[in-house]
Amino acid sequence: QSSLTREQFTEQLWALQQELEGGTEGSELAEVRTEADAQRMIRRFSPLLRTALDDIFTQFSDAQESDTLTPDQVDAFLIQTNGALGRGGTHIHTDAYFRRKQKASQPQVLTRQDWYGVFARELGDGNWWQVVHDLEACGATIRSPKRTTKNVDSSLLSNSTYNRQHYHAWLDYLYFDSQHLVCTGLQEALTAQELSRIYDDGDALPNEWHPSDHLPVAALFSWQ
């Protein structure tokens, strides 16, 4: 008989409550813990996302009318997106589906709804950037064309890989009490030359001169 810490016991009670209540409620679903959570996330898929998922499902299935993916077909998808088996959140979630089906003596295939569920769980894990990567690696167009500040050859602009904007978002912030502090200076995360190398030359982060896809946030403050 194993003992549980207070935190582990609380977590198990919380998970049980979620199962009984049918998932996490709320207008903003931040995580997917139950099948009900997954279905709520799926209902929030945009038409663009759903179409991309359907197209790639069909791409890896046997026929246009097929509504299932075999383990071999899923492996082909994982190799194309991750370069190898055993990597990434999609591997974890597809493997979990197959394990549950095996335990329930169900056919070892993913239905289209299961397929949606894999990506609902990826989104619930916060890995929406990974979802974009996986879909684009299979030929889907998810993001807007990139903007360039250089005169580039027209053949480059027709290239789907070049003509795709790098993902970027502001994730880190500095908060301060404006009643006691004054912000006197900011550090630019990248120089103009570095920005050009990323957005014009396609040298996306991480790379050899910046081995992280996170950029530092720095500022100077003085007392009022």
mmCIF file of all heavy atoms in Angstrom, residues 31 159 167 208:
data_model
loop_
_atom_site.group_PDB
_atom_site.id
_atom_site.type_symbol
_atom_site.label_atom_id
_atom_site.label_comp_id
_atom_site.label_asym_id
_atom_site.label_seq_id
_atom_site.Cartn_x
_atom_site.Cartn_y
_atom_site.Cartn_z
ATOM 1 N N GLU A 31 -6.578 23.517 -20.288
ATOM 2 C CA GLU A 31 -5.931 22.212 -20.338
ATOM 3 C C GLU A 31 -6.966 21.136 -20.618
ATOM 4 O O GLU A 31 -8.156 21.332 -20.412
ATOM 5 C CB GLU A 31 -5.196 21.928 -19.030
ATOM 6 C CG GLU A 31 -6.079 21.989 -17.802
ATOM 7 C CD GLU A 31 -5.287 21.849 -16.512
ATOM 8 O OE1 GLU A 31 -4.144 21.366 -16.575
ATOM 9 O OE2 GLU A 31 -5.815 22.204 -15.460
ATOM 10 N N ASN A 159 8.004 30.031 -53.285
ATOM 11 C CA ASN A 159 8.338 28.854 -52.499
ATOM 12 C C ASN A 159 7.550 28.879 -51.204
ATOM 13 O O ASN A 159 7.612 29.825 -50.437
ATOM 14 C CB ASN A 159 9.846 28.845 -52.198
ATOM 15 C CG ASN A 159 10.271 27.621 -51.417
ATOM 16 O OD1 ASN A 159 10.027 27.543 -50.225
ATOM 17 N ND2 ASN A 159 10.904 26.692 -52.091
ATOM 18 N N TYR A 167 6.814 31.927 -36.663
ATOM 19 C CA TYR A 167 5.981 32.154 -35.480
ATOM 20 C C TYR A 167 6.704 33.091 -34.532
ATOM 21 O O TYR A 167 7.893 32.961 -34.275
ATOM 22 C CB TYR A 167 5.682 30.835 -34.765
ATOM 23 C CG TYR A 167 5.289 31.056 -33.327
ATOM 24 C CD1 TYR A 167 4.040 31.592 -33.018
ATOM 25 C CD2 TYR A 167 6.184 30.808 -32.290
ATOM 26 C CE1 TYR A 167 3.689 31.863 -31.710
ATOM 27 C CE2 TYR A 167 5.833 31.065 -30.984
ATOM 28 C CZ TYR A 167 4.591 31.587 -30.696
ATOM 29 O OH TYR A 167 4.254 31.852 -29.404
ATOM 30 N N GLU A 208 22.800 28.950 -34.833
ATOM 31 C CA GLU A 208 24.168 28.892 -34.306
ATOM 32 C C GLU A 208 24.568 30.153 -33.557
ATOM 33 O O GLU A 208 25.444 30.113 -32.680
ATOM 34 C CB GLU A 208 25.152 28.629 -35.446
ATOM 35 C CG GLU A 208 25.176 29.705 -36.520
ATOM 36 C CD GLU A 208 26.145 29.388 -37.641
ATOM 37 O OE1 GLU A 208 26.710 28.284 -37.627
ATOM 38 O OE2 GLU A 208 26.318 30.239 -38.526
#
